[in-house]
């Protein structure tokens, strides 16, 4: 039976603030999975803590709401144990680029096959609007009342410099374009980072839907842009002024799991353990 959009709906309804950009991301995820005809039971969706993290409650697939900053290691374990699953991971910019940035660095190096969606609203949404690593310099918030002193993090350039094989940016306000990006990210063999501009309509009154509309342009419409050209991608990532949205970069490199010695073709979940004798091991502890 063909997979339909409604297969991904849940009975429970999201409790995000009306107008939150997370709605657009949720629609795009469901639509991308439908377009790719991936059955719900073949998807594992791991999330961080935050408003963004609640997404796994409202997409009808295997979901795991993990710890703040720790969604990537949990998802890595899922993929290593069952490589047949399509693994999606979601986090906010606080979880993904703040407390969890170390895990992102190593995930980029490892290139485990999964898609990492960062709901980049440039604030900590769930804890009421404090600045995050992607807040613009000068951004005033409860934790930066005189304006953010630090330069904001450039996740696109960071990912490229760490050997990323898929780097993209989308906008929650354009769910159609975001769906196309997510389809490519999910199909990509390796770690795909998709940063998504996601307006937090309650706490961020600067980086709004209108702001992102005015300050982005679509890379797909840029004549001559080659997403397989690292130099071009880095130039775009470092560009000052408007933000490019679309797939900045894609390349091929063996995944971590393919290179895992002895287990290159066997997921742990498929190992035949019936004949394994653990009595000697157990003897040590009895
Ligand atoms: C280890 C840990 N530190 C801090 C918190 C408190 N906390 C919960 S959500 C959150 C921030 C969420 O912001 P972000 O990751 O940007 O996601 P958003 O809510 O904006 O989607 C924080 C600091 C926590 N739950 N666990
Ligand atoms: S606080 Fe912001 S990010 Fe959280 S649900 Fe409301 S609008 Fe969305």
């Amino acid at each position: 039976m063909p997979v339909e959009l409604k297969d991904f709906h849940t009975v429970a309804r999201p409790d995000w603030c009306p107008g939150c950009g997370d709605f657009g991301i949720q629609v795009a995820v469901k639509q991308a999975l439908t377009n790719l005809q991936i059955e719900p039971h073949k998807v594992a969706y791991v999330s961080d803590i935050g408003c963004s993290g609640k997404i796994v409650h409202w997409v009808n697939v295997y979901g795991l709401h993990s710890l703040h900053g720790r969604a990537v290691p949990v998802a890595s374990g899922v993929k290593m144990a069952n490589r047949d699953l399509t693994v999606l991971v979601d986090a906010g910019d606080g979880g993904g680029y703040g407390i969890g940035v170390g895990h992102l660095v190593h995930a980029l190096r490892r290139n485990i096959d999964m898609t990492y969606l960062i709901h980049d609203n440039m604030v900590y949404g769930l804890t009421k609007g404090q600045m995050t690593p992607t807040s613009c310099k000068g951004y005033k918030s409860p934790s930066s009342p005189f304006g953010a002193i630090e330069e904001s993090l450039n996740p696109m350039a960071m990912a490229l410099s760490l050997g990323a094989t898929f780097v993209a940016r989308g906008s929650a306000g354009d769910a159609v374009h975001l769906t196309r990006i997510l389809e490519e990210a999910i199909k990509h063999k390796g770690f795909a980072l998709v940063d998504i501009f996601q307006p937090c309509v309650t706490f961020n009154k600067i980086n709004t839907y209108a702001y992102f509309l005015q300050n982005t342009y679509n890379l797909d419409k840029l004549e001559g842009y080659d997403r397989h050209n690292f130099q071009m991608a880095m130039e775009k990532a470092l560009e000052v002024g408007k933000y490019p949205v679309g797939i900045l970069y894609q390349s091929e490199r063996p995944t971590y799991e393919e290179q895992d010695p002895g287990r290159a073709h066997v997921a742990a979940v498929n190992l035949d353990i019936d004949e394994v004798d653990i009595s000697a091991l157990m003897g040590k502890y009895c």
Side-chain angles (χ1 to χ4, degrees):
M1 276 221 310
V3 176
E4 296 178 53
L5 188 67
K6 66 175 170 54
D7 297 336
F8 295 102
H9 295 342
T10 53
V11 180
R13 290 279 174 262
D15 66 359
W16 290 311
C17 306
C20 174
D22 287 336
F23 285 99
I25 299 175
Q26 188 204 29
V27 168
V29 167
K30 290 179 179 182
Q31 191 62 60
L33 291 170
T34 308
N35 293 352
L36 293 172
Q37 290 292 293
I38 301 175
E39 294 165 285
H41 71 278
K42 295 196 173 145
V43 181
Y45 207 170
V46 180
S47 70
D48 205 280
I49 299 297
C51 299
S52 45
K54 298 186 195 176
I55 196 165
V56 299
H57 299 262
W58 305 313
V59 180
N60 183 34
V61 293
Y62 287 116
L64 204 159
H65 199 164
S66 71
L67 297 174
H68 195 42
R70 307 289 177 251
V72 166
V74 173
S76 303
V78 170
K79 187 67 186 184
M80 292 306 289
N82 190 348
R83 295 167 202 184
D84 296 337
L85 290 171
T86 293
V87 177
L88 307 178
V89 199
D90 279 37
D93 44 303
Y97 300 142
I99 189 172
V101 74
H103 296 301
L104 172 58
V105 167
H106 299 296
L108 289 163
R109 289 196 308 123
R110 289 187 184 121
N111 200 34
I112 296 182
D113 187 11
M114 64 174 89
T115 301
Y116 193 21
L117 293 78
I118 303 273
H119 300 219
D120 192 354
N121 53 23
M122 305 179 173
V123 286
Y124 289 115
L126 193 72
T127 48
K128 299 185 184 291
Q130 300 86 351
M131 60 169 276
T132 64
T134 52
S135 298
C136 300
K137 188 175 167 73
Y139 182 78
K140 288 189 178 158
S141 76
S143 58
S144 56
F146 304 110
I149 296 166
E150 303 99 319
E151 295 295 330
S152 63
L153 183 87
N154 182 334
M156 303 286 92
M158 179 183 75
L160 287 169
S161 70
L162 288 164
T165 56
F166 189 102
V167 181
R169 186 167 243 163
S171 213
D174 187 349
V176 175
H177 186 222
L178 181 58
T179 301
R180 284 208 299 275
I181 294 173
L182 291 180
E183 282 176 41
E184 294 297 317
I186 293 168
K187 282 192 294 184
H188 176 72
K189 191 166 68 67
F191 187 85
L193 175 69
V194 185
D195 182 273
I196 306 164
F197 289 140
Q198 174 253 315
C200 169
V201 294
T202 302
F203 294 112
N204 189 337
K205 304 294 184 189
I206 305 290
N207 308 109
T208 60
Y209 285 100
Y211 170 89
F212 289 124
L213 200 59
Q214 283 155 14
N215 290 285
T216 54
Y217 66 92
N218 191 338
L219 267 183
D220 301 351
K221 296 184 180 150
L222 193 68
E223 212 175 307
Y225 188 73
D226 176 8
R227 71 187 195 210
H228 303 289
N229 184 321
F230 181 83
Q231 192 77 26
M232 264 187 191
M234 196 51 126
E235 275 170 26
K236 283 287 153 208
L238 294 172
E239 205 170 69
V240 181
K242 291 193 171 190
Y243 302 98
V245 290
I247 301 169
L248 263 83
Y249 185 64
Q250 186 168 17
S251 65
E252 279 180 36
R253 183 155 64 79
T255 63
Y256 181 90
E257 56 272 30
E258 281 172 339
Q259 301 173 86
D260 180 16
R263 297 246 195 104
H265 305 292
V266 187
V269 76
N270 293 327
L271 289 174
D272 180 7
I273 55 170
D274 288 346
E275 302 303 319
V276 178
D277 181 5
I278 57 165
S279 50
L281 179 68
M282 293 307 287
K284 275 189 182 176
Y285 300 102
C286 296

